[in-house]
Amino acid sequence: MTVRVVLADDQTVVRAGFRALLDLTDDLVVTEAADGARAVEAVRTTRPDVVLMDIRMPGVDGLEATRRIAGDRSLDGVRVVMLTTYQVGAYVFEALRHGAAGFLLKDIEPDDLRAAIRTVAEGRGLLDPAVTRRVIEEFARLKAPEAAGAERLAVLTGREREVMAPVAAGLSNEEIGKRLIMSPLTAKTHVSRTMTKLGARDRAPLVVLAYETGLVRPGEH
């Protein structure tokens, strides 16, 4: 399976480094973009499976570019992954709200990078537990639960709400199953139904909503 990737970063050296890592395998085809506007253009032209999006870029930044991609119904199959550091928690949180499928640290190991791209290309969200906690909780502490958001959870069953907590901690279906004493397949079914009811393309929006509504609070996993 060939995975098409758009790599968006305003730093030439960073793009070259990532491209060198991705070009080591035959199944990853990379297109580069130097800013958010060019990234959106490249996505509309090449219809990639995955976009690796830097957050801070001149002109149209990664956040706005992600919003434009996620808001285009013709690009529903495209998954955006933010490239970030620990220092930009608020930006990552907003990126997830705008439709990003997850995020990666820029110092990720090469094998992990390639595996992450394939994971997202298969339609699964990318939420590393350690990064999820450190980045999202930092920003979640600054936000009070939103009553309007809490009303959105009314469509969920009790079991589906229960499943959202481990999803917010970045756990896999297998890990959720162990925690809630159910099979991985049953966990996957509950997660899928939850995403459908809440209109989420993948797991990332569930994480944001769980924190915004107070269903999960900082420090609770």
Side-chain angles (χ1 to χ4, degrees):
M1 172 184 173
T2 298
V3 178
R4 299 181 304 279
V5 180
V6 167
L7 172 61
D9 196 296
D10 62 310
Q11 297 183 39
T12 303
V13 174
V14 173
R15 292 202 312 275
F18 272 94
R19 177 143 201 170
L21 296 177
L22 300 180
D23 282 345
L24 291 175
T25 57
D26 295 332
D27 65 330
L28 301 178
V29 178
V30 183
T31 300
E32 295 182 34
D35 56 46
R38 293 177 186 176
V40 175
E41 181 180 349
V43 168
R44 288 173 175 161
T45 301
T46 66
R47 302 293 168 130
D49 302 289
V50 179
V51 182
L52 297 179
M53 184 81 75
D54 186 28
I55 293 179
R56 292 177 174 173
M57 294 185 286
V60 177
D61 64 10
L63 183 61
E64 173 60 20
T66 298
R67 187 191 66 77
R68 294 181 186 182
I69 293 169
D72 188 336
R73 287 297 183 89
S74 69
L75 301 176
D76 276 351
V78 178
R79 294 292 180 263
V80 180
V81 176
M82 311 307 296
L83 297 174
T84 185
T85 64
Y86 284 131
Q87 285 72 42
V88 289
Y91 290 95
V92 172
F93 191 88
E94 289 303 314
L96 293 174
R97 292 187 69 183
H98 285 302
F103 40 84
L104 293 172
L105 295 179
K106 286 190 175 183
D107 61 356
I108 186 173
E109 292 295 323
D111 288 344
D112 292 337
L113 172 64
R114 292 187 285 268
I117 290 173
R118 295 186 184 103
T119 294
V120 175
E122 293 170 358
R124 291 180 282 164
L126 191 64
L127 297 169
D128 176 82
V131 181
T132 299
R133 287 194 294 270
R134 186 161 182 173
V135 176
I136 294 184
E137 288 189 4
E138 174 186 344
F139 189 58
R141 286 191 179 94
L142 305 177
K143 296 174 65 65
E146 300 175 2
E151 293 177 0
R152 293 182 59 188
L153 301 184
V155 299
L156 302 181
T157 65
R159 197 56 160 168
E160 289 163 352
R161 289 186 183 220
E162 192 176 14
V163 164
M164 277 188 70
V167 168
L171 300 190
S172 66
N173 290 331
E174 184 175 352
E175 291 168 330
I176 293 172
K178 289 180 179 179
R179 175 175 292 191
L180 300 181
I181 314 178
M182 63 176 67
S183 70
L185 180 58
T186 299
K188 180 180 179 180
T189 298
H190 284 305
V191 173
S192 297
R193 287 176 179 171
T194 301
M195 289 192 296
T196 298
K197 289 182 178 181
L198 296 177
R201 294 175 14 143
D202 47 52
R203 291 180 176 222
L206 299 187
V207 178
V208 176
L209 189 59
Y211 280 98
E212 284 188 329
T213 59
L215 181 65
V216 176
R217 299 183 183 279
E220 295 179 351
H221 305 294

